[in-house]
């Protein structure tokens, strides 16, 4: 059980690497999209359209990467690491609707 747990953790960390890699690829796609979509326009209109595409595209990419870089490591620590390390927390059970 311990070996399979460690293998699962390793695969999860590889998934984090893949998330970072997809963020880099998506950034390149937005750069290429801005260049290809504005080809043939005059220079002023091209600059404005490229700026819009780049700002919107990279904002979406930064948002997605931020969310994934916060959520996935927390999941790894709290779900997988504590399960495989046989962590047993002590304390009181949380019962918010218990009658006083």
């Amino acid at each position: 059980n311990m070996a399979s747990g460690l293998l699962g953790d390793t695969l999860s960390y590889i998934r984090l690497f893949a998330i970072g890699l997809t963020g880099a690829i998506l950034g390149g796609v937005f750069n290429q999209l801005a260049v290809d979509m504005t080809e043939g326009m005059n220079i002023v209109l091209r600059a404005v359209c490229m700026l819009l595409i780049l700002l919107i595209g990279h904002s979406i990419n930064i948002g997605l990467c931020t969310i994934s870089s916060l959520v996935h490591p927390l999941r790894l620590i709290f779900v997988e690491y504590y399960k495989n390390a046989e962590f047993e927390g002590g304390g009181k059970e949380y019962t918010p609707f218990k009658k006083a």
Side-chain angles (χ1 to χ4, degrees):
N1 195 16
M2 181 71 168
S4 66
L6 291 175
L7 179 64
D9 289 347
T10 304
L11 291 175
S12 293
Y13 282 106
I14 291 172
R15 184 179 60 225
L16 286 177
F17 170 75
I19 288 171
L21 188 62
T22 56
I25 291 171
L26 190 58
V29 167
F30 282 121
N31 290 341
Q32 191 66 39
L33 185 68
V35 171
D36 289 345
M37 293 279 295
T38 59
E39 196 172 326
M41 295 181 177
N42 68 20
I43 191 71
V44 176
L45 185 60
R46 183 175 188 180
V48 170
C49 289
M50 281 181 75
L51 187 66
L52 267 173
I53 292 170
L54 290 172
L55 282 175
I56 292 170
H58 287 298
S59 296
I60 291 169
N61 190 20
I62 288 171
L64 289 172
C65 288
T66 302
I67 289 171
S68 65
S69 69
L70 293 173
V71 170
H72 288 289
L74 286 175
R75 181 188 153 277
L76 280 174
I77 290 171
F78 289 110
V79 173
E80 295 183 8
Y81 175 74
Y82 285 144
K83 176 186 68 173
N84 293 329
E86 297 179 14
F87 178 78
E88 293 189 26
K92 298 178 188 175
E93 181 182 351
Y94 178 65
T95 52
F97 299 111
K98 185 174 99 175
K99 291 184 180 182

